[in-house]
Amino acid sequence: MTVLSGDSFRGRKSDAIEPVGDLTLGRLMLLLALGAGVVVMEDLFRFALKLPGHHGLEAMALLAFARLSCNYRWSASIAAIGSASAAAALGVGHGALTPFLYLLPGLVIDIGVMLVPAWRSRVLWLPLFAAAGYAAKPALKWFALQGIGMEFGSLINGLAYPFSMHLVFGFTGALVATVAWKNWPRQHAR
């Protein structure tokens, strides 16, 4: 006969959930959901701030969480595939460039992580990669529009302002997510 101690079963405790792990079916679904969350949050929070790239706060925070939560080398790109798929399903975006604009930040983050193997040792690496990836979006739009001789939206006056704003918002969103992630185990241990 088993003696009951009143302790909860180890598998049911909240600390039994591993915050970082290998790519499993469950973690794949989480990554895709985080990516879809980028599009859903962008659609839900349509504030007329007139600041290009302000959705980088939530977008890069979610991609940073995706990258931090999985050991798989393309985890941010998988989340970005979730974003591109959600944008296609919801019919939102920037025309033919939409899939590329959602995939680009994830690819830049993952390539940055591969180039700097010790990226987890410093808080600023992931936000820097996220800023570069998010700023690549207006750069891609600008180069695509130069090819057809058109300019519109935030790029009407050139690339410098939208590029710098995407850098700032992308960096800030990923920094908030990274700091929260790094502090989570300490908060959780209390």
Side-chain angles (χ1 to χ4, degrees), residues 16-37:
I17 300 170
E18 295 295 326
V20 180
D22 295 331
L23 185 65
T24 60
L25 180 59
R27 209 168 292 269
L28 174 67
M29 293 298 153
L30 173 67
L31 294 175
L32 292 172
L34 286 169

Side-chain angles (χ1 to χ4, degrees), residues 131-181:
Y134 199 62
K137 289 176 70 170
L140 176 63
K141 281 171 56 176
W142 188 78
F143 283 117
L145 292 173
Q146 293 302 306
I148 58 174
M150 290 180 59
E151 292 179 356
F152 62 89
S154 64
L155 297 170
I156 196 101
N157 294 318
L159 180 61
Y161 179 65
F163 185 82
S164 61
M165 293 306 291
H166 277 72
L167 275 173
V168 168
F169 285 119
F171 180 84
T172 304
L175 180 64
V176 168
T178 304
V179 169
W181 184 271

Side-chain angles (χ1 to χ4, degrees), residues 8-151:
S8 54
F9 178 62
R10 172 78 178 142
R12 300 222 190 269
K13 284 184 157 181
S14 62
D15 64 348
I17 300 170
E18 295 295 326
V20 180
D22 295 331
L23 185 65
T24 60
L25 180 59
R27 209 168 292 269
L28 174 67
M29 293 298 153
L30 173 67
L31 294 175
L32 292 172
L34 286 169
V38 168
V39 176
V40 170
M41 289 185 76
E42 186 176 310
D43 198 45
L44 285 175
F45 299 114
R46 293 211 165 269
F47 303 123
L49 298 178
K50 303 291 184 198
L51 293 171
H54 66 274
H55 287 295
L57 290 172
E58 70 266 11
M60 293 305 99
L62 290 171
L63 285 186
F65 276 127
R67 182 60 237 173
L68 288 163
S69 70
C70 187
N71 291 329
Y72 184 61
R73 63 178 32 211
W74 297 106
S75 58
S77 297
I78 291 172
I81 289 169
S83 297
S85 301
L90 295 174
V92 298
H94 307 281
L97 282 179
T98 297
F100 302 107
L101 294 174
Y102 280 109
L103 288 172
L104 194 55
L107 289 170
V108 172
I109 289 170
D110 286 336
I111 290 169
V113 164
M114 286 182 230
L115 292 174
V116 181
W119 67 276
R120 285 189 189 265
S121 67
R122 301 270 187 235
V123 172
L124 293 180
W125 280 118
L126 187 56
L128 288 171
F129 302 144
Y134 199 62
K137 289 176 70 170
L140 176 63
K141 281 171 56 176
W142 188 78
F143 283 117
L145 292 173
Q146 293 302 306
I148 58 174
M150 290 180 59
E151 292 179 356

